[in-house]
Amino acid sequence: MDFRTRPLTRIQVRNLSCILRTLFDISLTGPFPILQLLDRISEVFPGSRYEIVDDSQMPASTMANCKANEDGGYTIAIKDSVYDGAYRCGSGACLGFICHELCHVFLFFLGFTPIFERSFENNILPAYCSVEWQAKALCGELMIPYEESKGLTSKEIQRKYGVSKGFAKTRLRL
Amino acid sequence: MSYTSFGEFVRILRIKHHEVMGDMAKVLDVKTPFLSAVETGKKNVPTDWIDKLVEHYSLSEFEKRKLENAIEESRTQYKIMAQNASVNQRRVAMQFARSFDDIDDETALKIMELLKKKGDIND
């Protein structure tokens, strides 16, 4: 499911990734320590938080989600198996799922919220005004800093930033 | 549901010690969703967690007291031992439990004030 929002270009998304790193007081280069930053979400985004839930509490196709909460912020809910994959195995895919939700929180706080209540099937909306594309693109830029990763191979990107093969390959296409 | 006082306490503890929720779940020997549910007040804090946290994070007496207070403020269930209670005492407890959901914060504060005054007089 996807929603239309205000447009953002790839360059703007890239700049936003630097701002988000700055908000968390972390270096603009190197891997993005998403698991450590989960505990600091409430400091950067007031009223926001995260929780780890049993796999049975989410549909099989959902890895994590992000919903507005009653405190004026957002709650990121992460499936136990996804958190576990990120924590125990450092799985790039699992780290990516979690980071993707943090990107939603950041973008929502900036006002890149759905313009209409109407939802769309995935990959129908033009990328630049799709809530899902924006979060996905921001997640990639956060986890693989563009300038620093120039010239690296897919394997090197995976090893250096702890990301999935899919993420590394997408970075090489940019 | 927002973090409870306990949730807030352990969140800061993890940041201080450069740990994540998975590390703390290991220390407490529980699954991460259980720890998460306790932090958001969906479940009560198990009693044996105090000692485990004090030992692992080498908490001072002051920090231990803060932890105990945070746990007390985060309780989601209270047990009333009624074995030795009179019929009237049991009725009062039941009545209070039934009306608990309807009490707003302001009324709760006023009740606390009245109980405190009564306690002061009896002392």
Side-chain angles (χ1 to χ4, degrees):
Chain A
M1 199 195 300
D2 201 358
F3 293 90
R4 183 183 293 275
T5 187
R6 291 191 289 136
L8 265 180
T9 64
R10 168 65 70 172
I11 301 296
Q12 287 172 318
V13 168
R14 193 161 293 152
N15 292 336
L16 287 179
S17 72
C18 297
I19 292 170
L20 187 51
R21 279 178 175 256
T22 307
L23 282 170
F24 278 107
D25 293 320
I26 58 166
S27 164
L28 296 182
T29 55
F32 188 70
I34 180 65
L35 291 189
Q36 281 77 13
L37 298 184
L38 284 174
D39 272 325
R40 296 187 47 218
I41 287 176
S42 57
E43 293 166 13
V44 177
F45 304 112
S48 300
R49 53 188 169 268
Y50 76 103
E51 57 185 17
I52 315 298
V53 300
D54 274 322
D55 283 14
S56 60
Q57 289 180 35
M58 265 189 208
S61 57
T62 307
M63 302 300 144
N65 64 34
C66 164
K67 288 180 181 163
N69 62 36
E70 68 279 13
D71 295 327
Y74 295 88
T75 299
I76 295 175
I78 305 161
K79 247 184 191 174
D80 183 28
S81 55
V82 172
Y83 184 86
D84 212 46
Y87 172 67
R88 281 183 210 275
C89 318
S91 151
C94 293
L95 291 164
F97 290 135
I98 299 170
C99 186
H100 179 96
E101 300 308 324
L102 174 67
C103 292
H104 275 309
V105 174
F106 179 44
L107 290 166
F108 288 161
F109 261 84
L110 293 180
F112 292 94
T113 47
I115 292 174
F116 306 114
E117 285 298 313
R118 191 189 154 192
S119 61
F120 296 83
E121 290 297 315
N122 287 342
N123 305 318
I124 297 258
L125 289 168
Y128 58 87
C129 60
S130 145
V131 162
E132 283 309 318
W133 177 83
Q134 289 182 359
K136 200 172 166 184
L138 180 56
C139 180
E141 297 288 343
L142 260 181
M143 294 185 81
I144 313 169
Y146 183 77
E147 290 298 329
E148 190 192 33
S149 59
K150 272 181 179 168
L152 297 181
T153 65
S154 169
K155 279 250 156 50
E156 287 168 337
I157 290 174
Q158 286 177 64
R159 212 174 309 125
K160 181 161 185 177
Y161 301 106
V163 296
S164 67
K165 197 173 173 182
F167 261 46
K169 287 201 164 164
T170 304
R171 164 65 188 89
L172 293 180
R173 285 201 297 270
L174 296 175
Chain B
M1 199 174 268
S2 55
Y3 292 125
T4 58
S5 301
F6 171 77
E8 195 55 29
F9 185 92
V10 291
R11 184 184 72 80
I12 293 166
L13 205 55
R14 286 196 294 265
I15 293 172
K16 262 192 196 168
H17 290 261
H18 307 287
E19 285 189 355
V20 299
M21 199 188 276
D23 297 321
M24 191 173 268
K26 255 191 200 168
V27 168
L28 298 169
D29 197 22
V30 292
K31 289 199 156 201
T32 323
F34 182 77
L35 172 58
S36 184
V38 171
E39 290 186 12
T40 50
K42 289 174 191 155
K43 295 206 161 100
N44 258 338
V45 185
T47 46
D48 63 335
W49 283 15
I50 297 178
D51 289 340
K52 287 179 178 175
L53 290 170
V54 167
E55 193 190 328
H56 180 78
Y57 296 103
S58 307
L59 299 184
S60 65
E61 260 312 306
F62 175 69
E63 287 171 317
K64 187 184 172 190
R65 268 203 307 279
K66 268 179 83 177
L67 169 63
E68 286 167 341
N69 286 340
I71 289 175
E72 190 54 36
E73 283 172 14
S74 309
R75 289 180 72 159
T76 55
Q77 290 177 338
Y78 287 85
K79 259 189 198 168
I80 295 176
M81 305 308 278
Q83 293 100 321
N84 301 321
S86 68
V87 173
N88 281 336
Q89 282 175 318
R90 288 174 195 221
R91 278 185 189 148
V92 168
M94 285 300 291
Q95 187 59 44
F96 184 76
R98 281 186 194 132
S99 57
F100 179 79
D101 286 345
D102 300 328
I103 295 176
D104 55 67
D105 266 9
E106 202 183 337
T107 313
L109 273 175
K110 282 182 182 159
I111 292 173
M112 286 290 289
E113 276 171 28
L114 287 171
L115 286 171
K116 192 172 177 299
K117 272 182 201 159
K118 186 177 173 288
D120 289 346
I121 291 167
N122 289 343
D123 289 344

